Amino acid sequence: ILGFAPESMNFKKIDGELPNRQAAIMFYLRTNKEPHRDIYLPKRHQKILEKIIETNDLDRNICDIPDLPERSDISKIDIGVHSGFGIARFKIIEPGKDFKAVIKFRLQEISREKISCFLLDMNLSDPFTAESCKELEELGFYFSCIIPEMTEQGDIIRFQYLNNIDVDPSVIKTASDFGKELLDYTLKEREQRLSMS
């Protein structure tokens, strides 16, 4: 998650404030065997998502996206803003016909509050998620990670948007080859979104 930790956050063995917002990586620590789940992956990110699922040995059935019914008129979205950390989190409960317009409006509205990092979570067990990713990416969001068993429905895919925050890849350290691969993928996705805006 690029730009996740604010400059004011304290870390052991780091004196004083950080020079800029810091990246964080999500780790999944299994305490129980998770249930078998059917999931729907966005085609654009299918290869990296399959690798994450395989690396974490998740019991998942990757399904083809079915013919979908018409969306509801109104999206259902839970939004939390954490001003002290400069983070806003959008939890998508149901993307409706107004999905892109609502996200765009709320993004612009909350950006005025000097929020730096926007996180948007969608459920991978919902086939509408795979369909909605393109709309998010057209607004400047980019792939960040998946979080297994985050909700009662199962895994979420997280997208991110940084509000006028510079990212210096040279200061981000990873602990594994796969961590480096995920970082490179996320940075590439971010650059593509920036070049489109």
Side-chain angles (χ1 to χ4, degrees), residues 86-173:
I87 292 175
R89 182 174 170 230
F90 294 23
K91 179 183 176 183
I92 310 304
I93 300 165
E94 181 183 344
K97 293 178 184 176
D98 65 346
F99 179 64
K100 184 177 178 181
V102 168
I103 296 298
K104 182 178 181 180
F105 174 78
R106 297 299 262 158
L107 185 63
Q108 291 171 342
E109 178 184 52
I110 297 170
S111 291
R112 294 188 199 108
E113 299 176 29
K114 300 190 177 176
I115 298 299
S116 302
C117 180
F118 290 80
L119 308 175
L120 188 147
D121 298 342
M122 301 188 76
N123 201 315
L124 283 175
S125 65
D126 182 353
F128 276 111
T129 291
E131 183 188 67
S132 303
C133 290
K134 184 179 178 185
E135 294 171 290
L136 290 174
E137 290 166 344
E138 288 170 352
L139 294 174
F141 281 87
Y142 54 90
F143 172 79
S144 177
C145 62
I146 67 170
I147 307 177
E149 295 299 307
M150 182 70 171
T151 69
E152 290 182 5
Q153 291 76 38
D155 314 331
I156 63 160
I157 182 170
R158 173 166 285 177
F159 290 86
Q160 182 175 10
Y161 178 95
L162 291 180
N163 182 22
N164 295 316
I165 297 295
D166 290 328
V167 174
D168 181 358
S170 69
V171 302
I172 303 173
K173 307 300 180 193

Side-chain angles (χ1 to χ4, degrees), residues 51-90:
K51 191 162 186 180
I52 293 170
I53 290 162
E54 179 183 347
T55 300
N56 287 280
D57 193 27
L58 299 174
D59 185 7
R60 299 295 181 257
N61 177 40
I62 299 169
C63 302
D64 292 332
I65 300 169
D67 292 333
L68 298 172
E70 191 171 354
R71 292 189 190 187
S72 302
D73 290 335
I74 307 296
S75 298
K76 295 178 183 174
I77 305 170
D78 182 21
I79 301 176
V81 178
H82 307 283
S83 300
F85 289 101
I87 292 175
R89 182 174 170 230
F90 294 23

Side-chain angles (χ1 to χ4, degrees), residues 4-42:
F4 178 73
E7 298 92 327
S8 58
M9 187 173 280
N10 293 320
F11 292 89
K12 291 180 180 178
K13 300 185 180 179
I14 299 179
D15 295 327
E17 287 199 349
L18 300 167
N20 47 39
R21 295 183 71 94
Q22 299 294 301
I25 190 163
M26 302 297 293
F27 285 89
Y28 178 59
L29 177 62
R30 177 181 287 104
T31 54
N32 294 355
K33 179 64 178 170
E34 65 279 331
H36 172 82
R37 296 192 186 275
D38 291 338
I39 58 172
Y40 303 88
L41 304 181

